[in-house]
Amino acid sequence: MTIELRNVAKRFGSFAAVNGVSLHVERGELVALLGPSGSGKTTLLRIIAGLEYADAGEVLFDGEDAGDRDVARRRVGFVFQHYALFRHMTVFENVAFGLRVMGRAKRPADDVIREKVTALLRLVQLEPMAGRYPSQLSGGQRQRIALARALAIEPRMLLLDEPFGALDAKVRKELRRWLRGLHDEMGFTSLFVTHDQEEALELADRVVVMNQGRIEQVGTPQEVYDRPATPFVYEFLGNVNRIACTIIDGQVDLWGHQFSVETAERGRREGYAYLRPHDIEILTTSGASSRAHVKHISATGPVARVELAIEGVATPIEAELSRQQLDALGLRLGQPVLVQPRNVRIFPVDAAA
Amino acid sequence: MGFTLLYLSVIVLLPLAGLVIKASDATWPQFVAAAVAPRALAAYRLSFGSALFAAAVNLVAGVLVAWVLVRYRFPFKRVIDGLVDLPFALPTAVAGIALATLYGPKGWIGQVLGVLGIKVAFTATGVTLALIFVGLPFVVRTVQPVLQDLDPELEDAAASLGATPIQTFTRVIAPAIMPAALTGFALAFARAVGEYGSVIFIAGNIPMKSEIAPLLIVIKLEQYDYTGAAVVGVVMLSASFLILLGINLLQRWARIRQGEKS
């Protein structure tokens, strides 16, 4: 099903948790809501689920206003950050819960419930655990039971709140891949909340970057990473060097390299240049570049990080290059080098605040 | 562990042993006669009956009060929270006199109830009322911390799976707070069985009608019938012990059902 949000807003006291958000999610899409804590992403997810009500704006499912439907009637599969499993029930009963609380007219017979729950437990690969209690399961197993429980009511969409937040790195990676497979297989619309950029970029079809209750940018992982729309997205996604600069008539001089800013504004203005570490080229030969020297080299793993002190710039900048490049250059500490920025985005100061 | 046992023996078991030894002054027929005298039977019935009833009322009311204190924000919440403990702190005689004044035939509430044909003072109803008053804090204070720890996400989860608020309470919340609520119930009951000060003023202490067992013991003492008093004491002690043991077993069962190793 499609989900459409129109100017959704929610305040808690004087705090604007969600501040006018509009978003369209296509059928079958897997969308990540990405942002720091307090950015309103979880509140937005809860509003879609009907666990929270928006003060203003509309929520539409398949073009139909869902505003007056409460959570019990939205048929939304919600997976909670801390799983929210019922401790006093076995794994089997947890998964069966949504079926057992159905009205008499709709409730399936006991043997149908048993069949269905068993099938779901098989789907999440935990069939042998049916008789256990949640306290006897590992974190990853609990997460999968929470998912099976949400799927039991045949939801029209799946909403996951920090689904991998409480798991260790290895389990997280496995579950991520498994969830992606499950999503593709079942074909429902899914939204998940995360503060982990790697998770969002790896798992989602589209990423919604949120900050202070607003959407900063919506796009495919590649779009938001390669072409961040705002300084916030630049800083939040991946590593970036932020360098103070001066914009004069839409032109910036960065260590002798000229860059233009998309602005009609004339005159002088302070700004920041954003420069990804892998967009910095280090040259040991002469060229039209500025003078710098190597301050620190960290070469563990496939990517080497080189800290460069640039003449006349207070904070060192970080460059990333492959191990082969590093070996080819033969960099040593203190060696003078030439630095050439490849891809720079410049934002005037007030936009970067 | 040795220290715990020694401590328990000195503080709890020793006085109880003394009671049993005193009661054993009576010959077996004497013991039985004193234990099952009609006046004593009536007193047991009143004491245990009203204590059980009062504890049951407190179970429901206490869970409600705890719920509101944990889940809602309202003005003077701290003050109300503090008020809950008042029955603990108030000298029981003061509570008794206050209740007797309120519910007596000429009291504020007693007058109104009298018109409606309901008599509270000097009846079993009055006794129960006093026991409800002294027992309330036990349930509130045992259930409150458990509710505080209960993740509100559980309610959200139940609702998102289609459960009505009533189903959420009976299937999710009630089982989680059951062990704590039973503890509170047991404490409220134990306190009610032994309660004396707050009851005697409102009860009127009419033998066979509104005379509680602890009062019967005091009456026997005043008549220098130490053995008789001890006999009634032993009967009460045994009955209380059996009931509390039963509640304990029930709790263990509830905990095992929660999948915890005890």
Side-chain angles (χ1 to χ4, degrees):
Chain A
M1 73 181 311
T2 65
I3 304 166
E4 174 130 22
L5 305 176
R6 287 184 191 156
N7 277 314
V8 170
K10 172 82 186 174
R11 304 185 75 83
F12 293 111
S14 61
F15 175 68
V18 176
N19 201 350
V21 166
S22 298
L23 179 68
H24 183 85
V25 179
E26 279 301 327
R27 189 186 311 269
E29 242 189 330
L30 178 55
V31 170
L33 299 176
L34 175 66
S37 58
S39 61
K41 55 195 191 310
T42 294
T43 307
L44 192 64
L45 195 74
R46 290 173 61 86
I47 288 171
I48 296 170
L51 290 167
E52 210 84 71
Y53 286 94
D55 301 331
E58 284 174 283
V59 179
L60 295 101
F61 293 162
D62 279 336
E64 207 179 297
D65 190 2
D68 54 349
R69 263 186 278 165
D70 65 10
V71 56
R73 276 180 298 150
R74 286 197 189 186
R75 274 193 42 218
V76 162
F78 202 103
V79 177
F80 293 84
Q81 187 176 0
H82 303 293
Y83 323 127
L85 293 176
F86 307 128
R87 284 184 1 169
H88 62 282
M89 292 181 199
T90 60
V91 162
F92 183 95
E93 284 305 318
N94 263 285
V95 177
F97 185 87
L99 303 170
R100 295 221 194 274
V101 297
M102 281 181 181
R104 198 176 292 263
K106 276 197 290 175
R107 185 169 52 224
D110 265 359
D111 53 331
V112 178
I113 291 181
R114 195 172 314 119
E115 225 166 84
K116 200 164 171 181
V117 172
T118 309
L120 280 165
L121 287 176
R122 203 175 302 134
L123 179 73
V124 297
Q125 298 152 12
L126 285 173
E127 205 184 345
M129 304 291 178
R132 302 253 183 116
Y133 285 90
S135 57
Q136 298 167 312
L137 302 182
S138 71
Q141 291 173 330
R142 285 182 212 180
Q143 184 60 286
R144 281 185 279 162
I145 293 304
L147 197 64
R149 184 178 67 176
L151 294 177
I153 57 167
E154 293 176 18
R156 301 187 299 172
M157 65 179 120
L158 196 58
L159 305 176
L160 307 107
D161 185 7
E162 299 268 1
F164 315 112
L167 301 171
D168 55 59
K170 187 164 169 279
V171 181
R172 195 182 301 187
K173 263 210 155 99
E174 275 172 28
L175 257 185
R176 215 188 276 168
R177 210 166 301 139
W178 178 79
L179 181 71
R180 180 72 230 195
L182 188 77
H183 169 89
D184 293 342
E185 191 182 317
M186 311 276 282
F188 36 52
T189 309
S190 307
L191 258 98
F192 73 98
V193 158
T194 181
H195 63 266
D196 180 346
Q197 36 143 329
E198 194 192 323
E199 196 167 288
L201 296 178
E202 191 188 303
L203 191 57
D205 296 322
R206 280 199 303 155
V207 178
V208 178
V209 184
M210 291 190 68
N211 181 34
Q212 297 183 340
R214 291 179 184 282
I215 291 181
E216 294 270 339
Q217 189 175 4
V218 183
T220 63
Q222 187 134 37
E223 278 166 6
V224 293
Y225 188 82
D226 289 347
R227 291 191 297 280
T230 65
F232 174 83
V233 179
Y234 246 119
E235 301 220 10
F236 195 71
L237 287 182
N239 288 327
V240 73
N241 293 297
R242 190 174 81 160
I243 304 140
C245 59
T246 308
I247 307 168
I248 299 164
D249 292 345
Q251 291 292 315
V252 170
D253 178 285
L254 197 65
W255 320 322
H257 302 271
Q258 299 300 315
F259 294 95
S260 55
V261 187
E262 291 168 28
T263 171
E265 203 178 316
R266 301 286 92 188
R268 194 189 159 92
R269 193 146 186 215
E270 296 307 305
Y272 283 110
Y274 287 86
L275 177 58
R276 296 264 190 228
H278 55 77
D279 281 335
I280 295 173
E281 204 167 344
I282 302 172
L283 304 165
T284 48
T285 55
S286 61
S289 302
S290 64
R291 197 184 277 269
H293 66 267
V294 177
K295 227 185 144 197
H296 182 76
I297 302 173
S298 121
T300 46
V303 174
R305 289 190 177 78
V306 180
E307 228 175 84
L308 300 161
I310 296 186
E311 253 170 45
V313 180
T315 46
I317 63 165
E318 196 183 74
E320 274 177 13
L321 60 168
S322 71
R323 288 290 283 275
Q324 287 95 324
Q325 283 174 310
L326 183 75
D327 293 343
L329 285 170
L331 291 182
R332 286 167 289 107
L333 284 183
Q335 183 180 0
V337 290
L338 302 167
V339 173
Q340 190 154 358
R342 268 194 295 253
N343 185 10
V344 178
R345 272 291 291 277
I346 293 149
F347 295 95
V349 145
D350 65 325
Chain B
M1 195 176 109
F3 178 78
T4 311
L5 281 179
L6 179 73
Y7 183 84
L8 209 65
S9 304
V10 172
I11 299 290
V12 179
L13 288 181
L14 215 58
L16 293 184
L19 177 69
V20 174
I21 290 165
K22 189 75 214 166
S24 64
D25 283 355
T27 62
W28 189 240
Q30 275 175 322
F31 184 97
V32 173
V36 301
R39 187 172 168 188
L41 283 180
Y44 302 144
R45 201 178 305 127
L46 179 66
S47 266
F48 285 106
S50 54
L52 274 176
F53 186 80
V57 170
N58 279 330
L59 182 67
V60 177
V63 168
L64 272 175
V65 171
W67 181 262
V68 171
L69 284 176
V70 169
R71 284 298 157 87
Y72 292 89
R73 293 172 64 178
F74 48 88
F76 303 113
K77 180 170 160 171
R78 294 269 139 245
V79 178
I80 308 249
D81 201 350
L83 277 180
V84 170
D85 287 328
L86 222 54
F88 271 151
L90 208 62
T92 52
V94 176
I97 293 167
L99 285 172
T101 316
L102 268 180
Y103 288 94
K106 296 213 172 76
W108 291 345
I109 301 175
Q111 262 179 341
V112 179
L113 291 177
V115 174
L116 297 170
I118 303 167
K119 261 191 75 180
V120 174
F122 315 134
T123 65
T125 316
V127 174
T128 310
L129 195 75
L131 297 183
I132 290 172
F133 175 80
V134 296
L136 180 70
F138 291 97
V139 180
V140 178
R141 290 296 180 238
T142 49
V143 171
Q144 206 174 4
V146 179
L147 274 180
Q148 224 130 34
D149 284 347
L150 200 66
D151 194 345
E153 271 191 354
L154 288 176
E155 289 154 58
D156 287 343
S160 79
L161 293 166
T164 63
I166 293 171
Q167 283 173 323
T168 302
F169 183 82
T170 56
R171 287 170 183 256
V172 176
I173 296 165
I177 60 174
M178 183 79 104
L182 277 176
T183 303
F185 177 84
L187 289 172
F189 168 75
R191 168 76 192 259
V193 166
E195 185 57 27
Y196 177 75
S198 61
V199 177
I200 51 169
F201 294 97
I202 197 172
N205 311 321
I206 306 154
M208 306 297 293
K209 191 176 162 220
S210 61
E211 185 181 61
I212 55 171
L215 182 73
L216 186 63
I217 295 173
V218 174
I219 290 171
K220 284 190 187 290
L221 286 179
E222 279 169 353
Q223 293 163 349
Y224 305 106
D225 180 9
Y226 296 127
T227 313
V231 168
V232 175
V234 166
V235 171
M236 284 197 71
L237 190 68
S238 319
S240 296
F241 181 71
L242 283 177
I243 292 173
L244 290 176
L245 190 72
I247 295 174
N248 239 317
L249 289 174
L250 203 64
Q251 260 177 316
R252 234 181 74 142
W253 172 78
R255 258 204 304 273
I256 287 170
R257 253 178 49 117
Q258 285 213 3
E260 287 170 20
K261 307 247 158 57
S262 52

